Amino acid sequence: MLSVRPKVAELAFHVFSRPLHPELISVHGTRHVTRDAYQARAEITNCGHVITFTAREIDEDSSSGDQAYDETLPGGHLAGLSAVSDANHPDHSSAHGDLPKTATPATLCEVATSAHQPLPSKRCLIHQSLQGSRTESVRCRNGVQYRTHFQLESVDPKLFWMVGQQLGHDSTEGLLHVFESSGRMALGAVSYVHLEARRRSLLVQAIHTFPDDYAIVKVESLFSLPDATAS
């Protein structure tokens, strides 16, 4: 398990078709989301984040509705999920409808971390160096689809400071953790993860700052399930 922020040259991006063992990562904050068709967990780590999305078996008689709850560890800060209006997002509805049952839950696990982080070697769908800008996509069993765009950007020190200040001190909605300063800059690294949970999809937007390198990592990922009305 790594305990310090890695250099940006050491960053890597992975997607697995399995959950990550909790003992492999150091977690600083967690957000759980549950919907009728899926459940998800977002975790901020010292290196970046882990998003675990599972399309679960649906009970036809289920009427429990959608839930979301938060969990944080010392040093973290959480705010509630932003409200998602049906007018802006037609696929988000208070009426659950008839959802197809899945015989076996399908799991996708997105990991933004250090290349030196011990990770499993099996069932790895994507393994890329987190450098520059890149778009990836995969389609899994049960029709679960995943798309992501991630980029690493080096910025001017003044702009970096402004971004860090805004993320670390302004009122934000999402999962936020401000790390202690390494000594080079007064402001420590910041990690921020925003979840937009709809009935059959989850949009994740993550930002991680790396003060020692004046660099910012941005990740936007969409986990989606097939439309219940699709043939």
Side-chain angles (χ1 to χ4, degrees), residues 93-109:
S93 172
S94 58
H96 303 313
D98 297 323
L99 300 178
K101 296 183 68 174
T102 58
T104 306
T107 296
L108 285 175
C109 183

Side-chain angles (χ1 to χ4, degrees), residues 27-31 43-45 70-79 167-168 172 174-180 189-193:
V27 178
H28 297 276
T30 304
R31 154 78 50 86
E43 297 168 301
I44 287 180
T45 71
D70 300 330
E71 173 185 339
T72 185
L73 302 181
H77 168 76
L78 292 177
L167 287 174
T172 57
L175 179 61
L176 175 70
H177 185 82
V178 180
F179 295 84
E180 294 183 2
V190 178
S191 284
Y192 172 73
V193 179

Side-chain angles (χ1 to χ4, degrees), residues 31 71 81 92 103 127 131 137 146 167 215:
R31 154 78 50 86
E71 173 185 339
L81 279 173
H92 181 90
H127 178 193
Q131 302 292 328
S137 65
Y146 168 82
L167 287 174

